[in-house]
Amino acid sequence: LPRLRALVDRRPVLDLFGVPVLYHSDSEAAWLRRAEGDADLQSPFGPPTPFADGLGNEEVLRADSTHRFELPMRVARGWRLAPYLEARGTAWDRDELDEDSPTRLDLVAGTRLSTLFWRRFDGGTTAQVAPFLDLRHSIVHEQHGGAPLLVDEVDLPTGADELGLGLRTHVFGWRDEDELDVETILREG
């Protein structure tokens, strides 16, 4: 289905005490179709089927935009601390009951502590492993309208403070165009 996405990769926008402040944004407008499939064939990364809301197959138009400013700093040998401020706005054309057009606005302050381990193998393959700890505090959470139709993680409830422990793995270099990038995170909020 039609989907339009605009991504601005992390880039410096100003210096604060000699440290560059980085900006990143990810905005998307999409027509989404949710198809209730066979539970035996369901992806382990998707929402469980049958959907808990009992609505089955549905369609929704959604616009979502996230903007983040972060200040990455070295705090110890090989460790980086990146405090950030993130704003996110999301709007749907309909809610679960087809009665309203929900909107949501979130402003979050947080920080991520991380490091990177890597190794280059014979043949040019490079493997990177980056453990991290992510703390998020909800400053503003406003939601109007009904409950959004659940299609993916964007539609999940927001507004809670969270603690996340995660691991990101990036493997590349065995062929020019191929790479594997996987992030796993356990969140408590």
Side-chain angles (χ1 to χ4, degrees), residues 29-111:
W31 175 20
L32 304 169
R33 180 176 293 151
R34 179 178 96 164
E36 191 159 353
D38 184 346
D40 294 334
L41 304 175
Q42 177 68 25
S43 165
F45 304 108
T49 185
F51 294 101
D53 57 23
L55 299 175
N57 300 337
E58 294 287 342
E59 293 182 6
V60 65
L61 294 173
R62 181 182 71 203
D64 179 57
S65 187
T66 302
H67 303 268
R68 177 187 272 200
F69 292 92
E70 63 182 67
L71 186 67
M73 303 173 282
R74 292 188 188 275
V75 291
R77 187 180 183 117
W79 288 88
R80 188 179 83 167
L81 184 68
Y84 61 85
L85 185 64
E86 180 178 285
R88 184 175 198 169
T90 310
W92 298 263
D93 75 326
R94 58 178 290 248
D95 64 3
E96 285 182 342
L97 304 176
D98 210 9
E99 295 174 347
D100 207 351
S101 298
T103 59
R104 182 167 59 205
L105 175 66
D106 286 294
L107 182 61
V108 174
T111 189

